[in-house]
Amino acid sequence: MAESNGRDSESHGTVRNVVLVVLDTARARSVDVTGAQNGEDGARSGVDRPTTPTLNQLAAEGTAFEHAFATGPWTLPSHASMFTGTYPSEHGTHGGHTYLADDLRTLPEAFSDAGFRTIGVSNNTWITEEFGFDRGFDDLRKGWQYIQSDADMGAVVRGEDIHEKLEATRNRLFDGNPVVNAANILYSEVLQPSGDDGADRSTTWIGNWLDDRESDRPFFLFCNFIEPHVEYDPPREYAERFLPDGASYEDATAIRQDPRAFDCEDYEITEREFAMLRGLYRAELAYVDDQVAKLRRALEENGIWDDTLFVVCGDHGEHIGEHGFFGHQYNLYDTLIHVPLVFHGGPFIGGERRSDLVQLLDLPATLLEAVGIEDRALRDQWSSRSLLPDSDDGPRDAVFAEYVAPQPSIDRLEDRFGEIPDRVRSFDRRLRAVRTAEYKYVCGDDGFERLHHVPTDPFERVDVSAEEPERARALRRRLEDRFEPLESTEPSDSVAMREGTRERLADLGYL
């Protein structure tokens, strides 16, 4: 294990504790605080009202980053970047290789070695020890488990249809205590309260943990709320705030929500149905926003809010009919990589709105500097830059994103659906994107490329690569200067997976 230098003699402001909250699948355009929400998104849902008043208040008191970007369009590579400060092709965690390499230093390890209590609460089955995300945590809880157990039935939760869920159940039921496993499967698949995917249990558990803390030892707390992820199933009272005029809760929740089946033309979704789905999605954001408020109250009631750095972000976004997609795979549109990011506490008090380009992989440098931790091993590997107002790190003039391998794979889609559309088959490629304040360029290893002028085309509808070939070439060179050329890199399979992980992924068709 690499050594940490521990805490410096001075930290910034009164920050002692750090809380990092990830709103899984929260896109910037549907969250009020980023300034990215537009009339189109509100009009499509039929209601123009705030989704995230708690986040708005945090931003009004703290700092909101209006142009924050994920390094990838889905959970696994994005969290790996947040934990290691590296890009997907650097950390090697993606659809073609789903385990975080053991030799990578992680943010929780840096906090732990500096003397912090480290607590993780994950409601996304990708963010577990099965995929290498437990390193550095004293306790990493699984929100989908009724009884906490080392035997993880997350493979059942991740199953995309009943066949995959049954197959995973058959293969994993006797992995450990079958009674506990059966109870956890029954809870996650049948008994979990409607309208909540673990957020309420998570905030209740965190509140109890804070109440019962006996030590004044500083802590790092990570929490992933997954509710905005498909399937959108908000409580009725939330859904009815955001559904289009004339749409009932029953109509909206009856719509089939199967992104991969939609991609493969197994069924259709009308524009009216997408409008209802967007309403359900915004209702999910409103629900987890209230859970963030509950978490804040717990910190306040324990008298530690004022010396806690509280950070809320999305890990990636979502397509709900935009560009003809449903879900968050196969491309790098801003709908998927532009995310909310808000800081509260320490040097981020003041209600500032920052318009500079930042990345989620900037979190390690920012959080460690805020509490005065110098971790050489993490610093040596990262591409992270501190976002503190007085940091020596310079601002970014561009941000980057990568899609290293399709998830699920094209082979897996063929196994499930048989013949798949040529449009979907064309997504079997690697993609990279570079975005400046003025232009967004995306290219693939199959020759695909698109160029968009961001100020006049914020929704990336007009490809101007033919009209501005020199600009496209310059941005492609920028990508090749930052990364190896697409044509010379392949998805890595060099990192050894745990045997149990390999078996579970094979069971589900990932390998």
PDB file of all heavy atoms in Angstrom, residues 208-238:
ATOM      1  N   ASN A 208     -28.636   7.682  12.140  1.00  0.00           N
ATOM      2  CA  ASN A 208     -28.402   6.888  13.350  1.00  0.00           C
ATOM      3  C   ASN A 208     -26.906   6.742  13.621  1.00  0.00           C
ATOM      4  O   ASN A 208     -26.468   6.791  14.785  1.00  0.00           O
ATOM      5  CB  ASN A 208     -29.049   5.509  13.213  1.00  0.00           C
ATOM      6  CG  ASN A 208     -30.564   5.571  13.222  1.00  0.00           C
ATOM      7  OD1 ASN A 208     -31.154   6.515  13.757  1.00  0.00           O
ATOM      8  ND2 ASN A 208     -31.201   4.573  12.634  1.00  0.00           N
ATOM      9  N   TRP A 209     -26.131   6.564  12.550  1.00  0.00           N
ATOM     10  CA  TRP A 209     -24.682   6.445  12.724  1.00  0.00           C
ATOM     11  C   TRP A 209     -24.101   7.735  13.312  1.00  0.00           C
ATOM     12  O   TRP A 209     -23.267   7.694  14.215  1.00  0.00           O
ATOM     13  CB  TRP A 209     -24.025   6.112  11.385  1.00  0.00           C
ATOM     14  CG  TRP A 209     -22.528   6.055  11.456  1.00  0.00           C
ATOM     15  CD1 TRP A 209     -21.775   5.032  11.946  1.00  0.00           C
ATOM     16  CD2 TRP A 209     -21.612   7.084  11.055  1.00  0.00           C
ATOM     17  NE1 TRP A 209     -20.438   5.342  11.869  1.00  0.00           N
ATOM     18  CE2 TRP A 209     -20.304   6.589  11.333  1.00  0.00           C
ATOM     19  CE3 TRP A 209     -21.751   8.347  10.489  1.00  0.00           C
ATOM     20  CZ2 TRP A 209     -19.160   7.348  11.059  1.00  0.00           C
ATOM     21  CZ3 TRP A 209     -20.611   9.086  10.220  1.00  0.00           C
ATOM     22  CH2 TRP A 209     -19.333   8.598  10.501  1.00  0.00           C
ATOM     23  N   LEU A 210     -24.569   8.868  12.801  1.00  0.00           N
ATOM     24  CA  LEU A 210     -24.097  10.150  13.334  1.00  0.00           C
ATOM     25  C   LEU A 210     -24.496  10.315  14.799  1.00  0.00           C
ATOM     26  O   LEU A 210     -23.704  10.782  15.629  1.00  0.00           O
ATOM     27  CB  LEU A 210     -24.662  11.309  12.504  1.00  0.00           C
ATOM     28  CG  LEU A 210     -24.114  11.449  11.082  1.00  0.00           C
ATOM     29  CD1 LEU A 210     -24.933  12.482  10.312  1.00  0.00           C
ATOM     30  CD2 LEU A 210     -22.638  11.844  11.095  1.00  0.00           C
ATOM     31  N   ASP A 211     -25.719   9.912  15.125  1.00  0.00           N
ATOM     32  CA  ASP A 211     -26.189  10.028  16.508  1.00  0.00           C
ATOM     33  C   ASP A 211     -25.359   9.167  17.464  1.00  0.00           C
ATOM     34  O   ASP A 211     -25.130   9.553  18.617  1.00  0.00           O
ATOM     35  CB  ASP A 211     -27.655   9.605  16.616  1.00  0.00           C
ATOM     36  CG  ASP A 211     -28.606  10.576  15.929  1.00  0.00           C
ATOM     37  OD1 ASP A 211     -28.197  11.725  15.688  1.00  0.00           O
ATOM     38  OD2 ASP A 211     -29.746  10.161  15.637  1.00  0.00           O
ATOM     39  N   ASP A 212     -24.931   7.998  16.976  1.00  0.00           N
ATOM     40  CA  ASP A 212     -24.254   7.034  17.845  1.00  0.00           C
ATOM     41  C   ASP A 212     -22.739   7.197  17.855  1.00  0.00           C
ATOM     42  O   ASP A 212     -22.050   6.476  18.593  1.00  0.00           O
ATOM     43  CB  ASP A 212     -24.597   5.602  17.406  1.00  0.00           C
ATOM     44  CG  ASP A 212     -26.067   5.275  17.591  1.00  0.00           C
ATOM     45  OD1 ASP A 212     -26.732   5.965  18.385  1.00  0.00           O
ATOM     46  OD2 ASP A 212     -26.552   4.340  16.924  1.00  0.00           O
ATOM     47  N   ARG A 213     -22.210   8.111  17.063  1.00  0.00           N
ATOM     48  CA  ARG A 213     -20.752   8.293  17.033  1.00  0.00           C
ATOM     49  C   ARG A 213     -20.243   8.692  18.411  1.00  0.00           C
ATOM     50  O   ARG A 213     -20.722   9.645  19.010  1.00  0.00           O
ATOM     51  CB  ARG A 213     -20.394   9.406  16.029  1.00  0.00           C
ATOM     52  CG  ARG A 213     -20.008   8.912  14.667  1.00  0.00           C
ATOM     53  CD  ARG A 213     -19.329   9.979  13.826  1.00  0.00           C
ATOM     54  NE  ARG A 213     -19.631  11.341  14.184  1.00  0.00           N
ATOM     55  CZ  ARG A 213     -18.722  12.316  14.236  1.00  0.00           C
ATOM     56  NH1 ARG A 213     -17.462  12.070  13.977  1.00  0.00           N
ATOM     57  NH2 ARG A 213     -19.069  13.543  14.556  1.00  0.00           N
ATOM     58  N   GLU A 214     -19.249   7.964  18.871  1.00  0.00           N
ATOM     59  CA  GLU A 214     -18.681   8.279  20.183  1.00  0.00           C
ATOM     60  C   GLU A 214     -17.377   9.048  20.056  1.00  0.00           C
ATOM     61  O   GLU A 214     -16.967   9.744  20.986  1.00  0.00           O
ATOM     62  CB  GLU A 214     -18.453   6.982  20.966  1.00  0.00           C
ATOM     63  CG  GLU A 214     -19.731   6.231  21.290  1.00  0.00           C
ATOM     64  CD  GLU A 214     -19.465   4.947  22.038  1.00  0.00           C
ATOM     65  OE1 GLU A 214     -18.274   4.605  22.212  1.00  0.00           O
ATOM     66  OE2 GLU A 214     -20.447   4.296  22.440  1.00  0.00           O
ATOM     67  N   SER A 215     -16.728   8.937  18.904  1.00  0.00           N
ATOM     68  CA  SER A 215     -15.437   9.584  18.712  1.00  0.00           C
ATOM     69  C   SER A 215     -15.605  10.891  17.952  1.00  0.00           C
ATOM     70  O   SER A 215     -16.524  11.050  17.143  1.00  0.00           O
ATOM     71  CB  SER A 215     -14.499   8.654  17.936  1.00  0.00           C
ATOM     72  OG  SER A 215     -13.331   9.334  17.527  1.00  0.00           O
ATOM     73  N   ASP A 216     -14.711  11.837  18.241  1.00  0.00           N
ATOM     74  CA  ASP A 216     -14.683  13.095  17.516  1.00  0.00           C
ATOM     75  C   ASP A 216     -13.790  12.996  16.278  1.00  0.00           C
ATOM     76  O   ASP A 216     -13.483  14.005  15.654  1.00  0.00           O
ATOM     77  CB  ASP A 216     -14.185  14.218  18.439  1.00  0.00           C
ATOM     78  CG  ASP A 216     -14.436  15.600  17.835  1.00  0.00           C
ATOM     79  OD1 ASP A 216     -15.503  15.781  17.219  1.00  0.00           O
ATOM     80  OD2 ASP A 216     -13.561  16.472  17.967  1.00  0.00           O
ATOM     81  N   ARG A 217     -13.398  11.779  15.941  1.00  0.00           N
ATOM     82  CA  ARG A 217     -12.545  11.549  14.784  1.00  0.00           C
ATOM     83  C   ARG A 217     -13.217  12.074  13.513  1.00  0.00           C
ATOM     84  O   ARG A 217     -14.403  11.837  13.288  1.00  0.00           O
ATOM     85  CB  ARG A 217     -12.305  10.047  14.671  1.00  0.00           C
ATOM     86  CG  ARG A 217     -11.425   9.583  13.531  1.00  0.00           C
ATOM     87  CD  ARG A 217     -11.343   8.055  13.601  1.00  0.00           C
ATOM     88  NE  ARG A 217     -10.704   7.469  12.442  1.00  0.00           N
ATOM     89  CZ  ARG A 217     -10.719   6.169  12.176  1.00  0.00           C
ATOM     90  NH1 ARG A 217     -11.347   5.335  12.999  1.00  0.00           N
ATOM     91  NH2 ARG A 217     -10.118   5.692  11.099  1.00  0.00           N
ATOM     92  N   PRO A 218     -12.491  12.816  12.652  1.00  0.00           N
ATOM     93  CA  PRO A 218     -13.100  13.313  11.415  1.00  0.00           C
ATOM     94  C   PRO A 218     -13.486  12.150  10.506  1.00  0.00           C
ATOM     95  O   PRO A 218     -12.924  11.047  10.608  1.00  0.00           O
ATOM     96  CB  PRO A 218     -12.002  14.174  10.793  1.00  0.00           C
ATOM     97  CG  PRO A 218     -10.732  13.646  11.367  1.00  0.00           C
ATOM     98  CD  PRO A 218     -11.069  13.199  12.759  1.00  0.00           C
ATOM     99  N   PHE A 219     -14.450  12.384   9.619  1.00  0.00           N
ATOM    100  CA  PHE A 219     -14.908  11.292   8.765  1.00  0.00           C
ATOM    101  C   PHE A 219     -15.068  11.747   7.311  1.00  0.00           C
ATOM    102  O   PHE A 219     -15.259  12.923   7.023  1.00  0.00           O
ATOM    103  CB  PHE A 219     -16.231  10.709   9.275  1.00  0.00           C
ATOM    104  CG  PHE A 219     -17.388  11.676   9.283  1.00  0.00           C
ATOM    105  CD1 PHE A 219     -18.144  11.915   8.147  1.00  0.00           C
ATOM    106  CD2 PHE A 219     -17.737  12.338  10.458  1.00  0.00           C
ATOM    107  CE1 PHE A 219     -19.207  12.797   8.156  1.00  0.00           C
ATOM    108  CE2 PHE A 219     -18.805  13.231  10.482  1.00  0.00           C
ATOM    109  CZ  PHE A 219     -19.537  13.463   9.322  1.00  0.00           C
ATOM    110  N   PHE A 220     -14.974  10.758   6.430  1.00  0.00           N
ATOM    111  CA  PHE A 220     -15.324  10.899   5.020  1.00  0.00           C
ATOM    112  C   PHE A 220     -16.516   9.992   4.783  1.00  0.00           C
ATOM    113  O   PHE A 220     -16.453   8.786   5.028  1.00  0.00           O
ATOM    114  CB  PHE A 220     -14.167  10.503   4.114  1.00  0.00           C
ATOM    115  CG  PHE A 220     -14.556  10.343   2.657  1.00  0.00           C
ATOM    116  CD1 PHE A 220     -14.935  11.441   1.901  1.00  0.00           C
ATOM    117  CD2 PHE A 220     -14.550   9.097   2.043  1.00  0.00           C
ATOM    118  CE1 PHE A 220     -15.302  11.312   0.566  1.00  0.00           C
ATOM    119  CE2 PHE A 220     -14.912   8.949   0.710  1.00  0.00           C
ATOM    120  CZ  PHE A 220     -15.288  10.060  -0.029  1.00  0.00           C
ATOM    121  N   LEU A 221     -17.616  10.573   4.316  1.00  0.00           N
ATOM    122  CA  LEU A 221     -18.844   9.823   4.058  1.00  0.00           C
ATOM    123  C   LEU A 221     -19.198   9.929   2.587  1.00  0.00           C
ATOM    124  O   LEU A 221     -19.317  11.033   2.045  1.00  0.00           O
ATOM    125  CB  LEU A 221     -19.990  10.379   4.916  1.00  0.00           C
ATOM    126  CG  LEU A 221     -21.404   9.870   4.604  1.00  0.00           C
ATOM    127  CD1 LEU A 221     -21.520   8.387   4.920  1.00  0.00           C
ATOM    128  CD2 LEU A 221     -22.447  10.664   5.398  1.00  0.00           C
ATOM    129  N   PHE A 222     -19.364   8.780   1.940  1.00  0.00           N
ATOM    130  CA  PHE A 222     -19.802   8.712   0.546  1.00  0.00           C
ATOM    131  C   PHE A 222     -21.178   8.069   0.507  1.00  0.00           C
ATOM    132  O   PHE A 222     -21.420   7.067   1.181  1.00  0.00           O
ATOM    133  CB  PHE A 222     -18.817   7.884  -0.280  1.00  0.00           C
ATOM    134  CG  PHE A 222     -19.366   7.390  -1.598  1.00  0.00           C
ATOM    135  CD1 PHE A 222     -19.428   8.229  -2.702  1.00  0.00           C
ATOM    136  CD2 PHE A 222     -19.834   6.087  -1.724  1.00  0.00           C
ATOM    137  CE1 PHE A 222     -19.948   7.778  -3.910  1.00  0.00           C
ATOM    138  CE2 PHE A 222     -20.351   5.625  -2.929  1.00  0.00           C
ATOM    139  CZ  PHE A 222     -20.404   6.473  -4.021  1.00  0.00           C
ATOM    140  N   CYS A 223     -22.079   8.649  -0.290  1.00  0.00           N
ATOM    141  CA  CYS A 223     -23.424   8.077  -0.410  1.00  0.00           C
ATOM    142  C   CYS A 223     -23.914   8.214  -1.841  1.00  0.00           C
ATOM    143  O   CYS A 223     -23.868   9.303  -2.423  1.00  0.00           O
ATOM    144  CB  CYS A 223     -24.386   8.775   0.550  1.00  0.00           C
ATOM    145  SG  CYS A 223     -26.066   8.090   0.520  1.00  0.00           S
ATOM    146  N   ASN A 224     -24.370   7.101  -2.406  1.00  0.00           N
ATOM    147  CA  ASN A 224     -24.962   7.093  -3.747  1.00  0.00           C
ATOM    148  C   ASN A 224     -26.457   6.850  -3.627  1.00  0.00           C
ATOM    149  O   ASN A 224     -26.887   5.831  -3.080  1.00  0.00           O
ATOM    150  CB  ASN A 224     -24.310   5.999  -4.601  1.00  0.00           C
ATOM    151  CG  ASN A 224     -25.004   5.810  -5.956  1.00  0.00           C
ATOM    152  OD1 ASN A 224     -26.146   5.361  -6.019  1.00  0.00           O
ATOM    153  ND2 ASN A 224     -24.301   6.125  -7.023  1.00  0.00           N
ATOM    154  N   PHE A 225     -27.260   7.813  -4.123  1.00  0.00           N
ATOM    155  CA  PHE A 225     -28.713   7.654  -4.222  1.00  0.00           C
ATOM    156  C   PHE A 225     -29.049   7.296  -5.669  1.00  0.00           C
ATOM    157  O   PHE A 225     -28.733   8.058  -6.587  1.00  0.00           O
ATOM    158  CB  PHE A 225     -29.439   8.950  -3.854  1.00  0.00           C
ATOM    159  CG  PHE A 225     -29.331   9.337  -2.411  1.00  0.00           C
ATOM    160  CD1 PHE A 225     -29.079  10.655  -2.053  1.00  0.00           C
ATOM    161  CD2 PHE A 225     -29.509   8.404  -1.403  1.00  0.00           C
ATOM    162  CE1 PHE A 225     -29.001  11.032  -0.721  1.00  0.00           C
ATOM    163  CE2 PHE A 225     -29.433   8.771  -0.063  1.00  0.00           C
ATOM    164  CZ  PHE A 225     -29.173  10.094   0.268  1.00  0.00           C
ATOM    165  N   ILE A 226     -29.732   6.177  -5.894  1.00  0.00           N
ATOM    166  CA  ILE A 226     -29.918   5.684  -7.251  1.00  0.00           C
ATOM    167  C   ILE A 226     -31.304   5.986  -7.837  1.00  0.00           C
ATOM    168  O   ILE A 226     -31.582   5.687  -8.996  1.00  0.00           O
ATOM    169  CB  ILE A 226     -29.652   4.159  -7.308  1.00  0.00           C
ATOM    170  CG1 ILE A 226     -29.352   3.720  -8.753  1.00  0.00           C
ATOM    171  CG2 ILE A 226     -30.819   3.382  -6.691  1.00  0.00           C
ATOM    172  CD1 ILE A 226     -28.911   2.287  -8.879  1.00  0.00           C
ATOM    173  N   GLU A 227     -32.176   6.616  -7.081  1.00  0.00           N
ATOM    174  CA  GLU A 227     -33.567   6.775  -7.535  1.00  0.00           C
ATOM    175  C   GLU A 227     -33.744   7.360  -8.941  1.00  0.00           C
ATOM    176  O   GLU A 227     -34.635   6.914  -9.682  1.00  0.00           O
ATOM    177  CB  GLU A 227     -34.359   7.609  -6.523  1.00  0.00           C
ATOM    178  CG  GLU A 227     -34.932   6.809  -5.377  1.00  0.00           C
ATOM    179  CD  GLU A 227     -33.895   6.400  -4.352  1.00  0.00           C
ATOM    180  OE1 GLU A 227     -32.715   6.789  -4.477  1.00  0.00           O
ATOM    181  OE2 GLU A 227     -34.251   5.688  -3.401  1.00  0.00           O
ATOM    182  N   PRO A 228     -32.978   8.359  -9.388  1.00  0.00           N
ATOM    183  CA  PRO A 228     -33.221   8.881 -10.752  1.00  0.00           C
ATOM    184  C   PRO A 228     -32.898   7.897 -11.868  1.00  0.00           C
ATOM    185  O   PRO A 228     -33.159   8.182 -13.035  1.00  0.00           O
ATOM    186  CB  PRO A 228     -32.296  10.112 -10.821  1.00  0.00           C
ATOM    187  CG  PRO A 228     -32.085  10.506  -9.398  1.00  0.00           C
ATOM    188  CD  PRO A 228     -32.054   9.220  -8.640  1.00  0.00           C
ATOM    189  N   HIS A 229     -32.336   6.751 -11.529  1.00  0.00           N
ATOM    190  CA  HIS A 229     -32.005   5.714 -12.511  1.00  0.00           C
ATOM    191  C   HIS A 229     -33.274   4.954 -12.891  1.00  0.00           C
ATOM    192  O   HIS A 229     -34.186   4.795 -12.086  1.00  0.00           O
ATOM    193  CB  HIS A 229     -30.988   4.761 -11.877  1.00  0.00           C
ATOM    194  CG  HIS A 229     -30.271   3.865 -12.830  1.00  0.00           C
ATOM    195  ND1 HIS A 229     -30.876   2.797 -13.462  1.00  0.00           N
ATOM    196  CD2 HIS A 229     -28.984   3.876 -13.246  1.00  0.00           C
ATOM    197  CE1 HIS A 229     -29.986   2.181 -14.220  1.00  0.00           C
ATOM    198  NE2 HIS A 229     -28.831   2.817 -14.118  1.00  0.00           N
ATOM    199  N   VAL A 230     -33.329   4.452 -14.139  1.00  0.00           N
ATOM    200  CA  VAL A 230     -34.418   3.558 -14.537  1.00  0.00           C
ATOM    201  C   VAL A 230     -34.423   2.347 -13.596  1.00  0.00           C
ATOM    202  O   VAL A 230     -33.364   1.814 -13.276  1.00  0.00           O
ATOM    203  CB  VAL A 230     -34.198   3.111 -16.004  1.00  0.00           C
ATOM    204  CG1 VAL A 230     -35.078   1.918 -16.340  1.00  0.00           C
ATOM    205  CG2 VAL A 230     -34.447   4.255 -16.971  1.00  0.00           C
ATOM    206  N   GLU A 231     -35.579   1.904 -13.115  1.00  0.00           N
ATOM    207  CA  GLU A 231     -36.898   2.366 -13.509  1.00  0.00           C
ATOM    208  C   GLU A 231     -37.299   3.542 -12.641  1.00  0.00           C
ATOM    209  O   GLU A 231     -37.104   3.516 -11.434  1.00  0.00           O
ATOM    210  CB  GLU A 231     -37.935   1.252 -13.375  1.00  0.00           C
ATOM    211  CG  GLU A 231     -37.739   0.106 -14.347  1.00  0.00           C
ATOM    212  CD  GLU A 231     -38.849  -0.934 -14.221  1.00  0.00           C
ATOM    213  OE1 GLU A 231     -39.756  -0.770 -13.388  1.00  0.00           O
ATOM    214  OE2 GLU A 231     -38.793  -1.922 -14.970  1.00  0.00           O
ATOM    215  N   TYR A 232     -37.910   4.570 -13.294  1.00  0.00           N
ATOM    216  CA  TYR A 232     -38.406   5.724 -12.552  1.00  0.00           C
ATOM    217  C   TYR A 232     -39.691   5.312 -11.845  1.00  0.00           C
ATOM    218  O   TYR A 232     -40.684   4.982 -12.471  1.00  0.00           O
ATOM    219  CB  TYR A 232     -38.699   6.887 -13.496  1.00  0.00           C
ATOM    220  CG  TYR A 232     -37.659   7.152 -14.553  1.00  0.00           C
ATOM    221  CD1 TYR A 232     -38.035   7.420 -15.865  1.00  0.00           C
ATOM    222  CD2 TYR A 232     -36.296   7.149 -14.256  1.00  0.00           C
ATOM    223  CE1 TYR A 232     -37.092   7.678 -16.844  1.00  0.00           C
ATOM    224  CE2 TYR A 232     -35.352   7.407 -15.227  1.00  0.00           C
ATOM    225  CZ  TYR A 232     -35.754   7.665 -16.526  1.00  0.00           C
ATOM    226  OH  TYR A 232     -34.824   7.911 -17.503  1.00  0.00           O
ATOM    227  N   ASP A 233     -39.642   5.343 -10.520  1.00  0.00           N
ATOM    228  CA  ASP A 233     -40.791   4.915  -9.715  1.00  0.00           C
ATOM    229  C   ASP A 233     -40.942   5.829  -8.509  1.00  0.00           C
ATOM    230  O   ASP A 233     -40.835   5.397  -7.365  1.00  0.00           O
ATOM    231  CB  ASP A 233     -40.588   3.454  -9.269  1.00  0.00           C
ATOM    232  CG  ASP A 233     -41.729   2.940  -8.413  1.00  0.00           C
ATOM    233  OD1 ASP A 233     -42.881   3.366  -8.621  1.00  0.00           O
ATOM    234  OD2 ASP A 233     -41.460   2.117  -7.500  1.00  0.00           O
ATOM    235  N   PRO A 234     -41.164   7.122  -8.730  1.00  0.00           N
ATOM    236  CA  PRO A 234     -41.267   8.049  -7.602  1.00  0.00           C
ATOM    237  C   PRO A 234     -42.578   7.865  -6.848  1.00  0.00           C
ATOM    238  O   PRO A 234     -43.553   7.335  -7.396  1.00  0.00           O
ATOM    239  CB  PRO A 234     -41.233   9.419  -8.287  1.00  0.00           C
ATOM    240  CG  PRO A 234     -41.868   9.163  -9.623  1.00  0.00           C
ATOM    241  CD  PRO A 234     -41.407   7.786 -10.020  1.00  0.00           C
ATOM    242  N   PRO A 235     -42.620   8.283  -5.588  1.00  0.00           N
ATOM    243  CA  PRO A 235     -43.898   8.283  -4.878  1.00  0.00           C
ATOM    244  C   PRO A 235     -44.931   9.104  -5.647  1.00  0.00           C
ATOM    245  O   PRO A 235     -44.596  10.076  -6.324  1.00  0.00           O
ATOM    246  CB  PRO A 235     -43.558   8.943  -3.535  1.00  0.00           C
ATOM    247  CG  PRO A 235     -42.086   8.724  -3.369  1.00  0.00           C
ATOM    248  CD  PRO A 235     -41.516   8.773  -4.742  1.00  0.00           C
ATOM    249  N   ARG A 236     -46.172   8.701  -5.541  1.00  0.00           N
ATOM    250  CA  ARG A 236     -47.246   9.348  -6.302  1.00  0.00           C
ATOM    251  C   ARG A 236     -47.270  10.857  -6.102  1.00  0.00           C
ATOM    252  O   ARG A 236     -47.423  11.625  -7.052  1.00  0.00           O
ATOM    253  CB  ARG A 236     -48.600   8.754  -5.899  1.00  0.00           C
ATOM    254  CG  ARG A 236     -49.795   9.415  -6.592  1.00  0.00           C
ATOM    255  CD  ARG A 236     -51.104   8.932  -6.011  1.00  0.00           C
ATOM    256  NE  ARG A 236     -51.369   7.556  -6.376  1.00  0.00           N
ATOM    257  CZ  ARG A 236     -52.090   7.195  -7.442  1.00  0.00           C
ATOM    258  NH1 ARG A 236     -52.604   8.128  -8.243  1.00  0.00           N
ATOM    259  NH2 ARG A 236     -52.302   5.939  -7.703  1.00  0.00           N
ATOM    260  N   GLU A 237     -47.111  11.308  -4.832  1.00  0.00           N
ATOM    261  CA  GLU A 237     -47.237  12.741  -4.565  1.00  0.00           C
ATOM    262  C   GLU A 237     -46.147  13.539  -5.273  1.00  0.00           C
ATOM    263  O   GLU A 237     -46.347  14.709  -5.606  1.00  0.00           O
ATOM    264  CB  GLU A 237     -47.225  13.017  -3.063  1.00  0.00           C
ATOM    265  CG  GLU A 237     -45.963  12.602  -2.340  1.00  0.00           C
ATOM    266  CD  GLU A 237     -46.012  11.178  -1.804  1.00  0.00           C
ATOM    267  OE1 GLU A 237     -46.753  10.349  -2.382  1.00  0.00           O
ATOM    268  OE2 GLU A 237     -45.314  10.921  -0.804  1.00  0.00           O
ATOM    269  N   TYR A 238     -44.990  12.934  -5.505  1.00  0.00           N
ATOM    270  CA  TYR A 238     -43.933  13.607  -6.255  1.00  0.00           C
ATOM    271  C   TYR A 238     -44.243  13.568  -7.752  1.00  0.00           C
ATOM    272  O   TYR A 238     -44.100  14.575  -8.450  1.00  0.00           O
ATOM    273  CB  TYR A 238     -42.575  12.951  -5.990  1.00  0.00           C
ATOM    274  CG  TYR A 238     -41.999  13.255  -4.632  1.00  0.00           C
ATOM    275  CD1 TYR A 238     -42.381  12.511  -3.514  1.00  0.00           C
ATOM    276  CD2 TYR A 238     -41.080  14.281  -4.453  1.00  0.00           C
ATOM    277  CE1 TYR A 238     -41.859  12.778  -2.257  1.00  0.00           C
ATOM    278  CE2 TYR A 238     -40.545  14.557  -3.200  1.00  0.00           C
ATOM    279  CZ  TYR A 238     -40.946  13.806  -2.104  1.00  0.00           C
ATOM    280  OH  TYR A 238     -40.426  14.078  -0.871  1.00  0.00           O
TER     281      TYR A 238
END
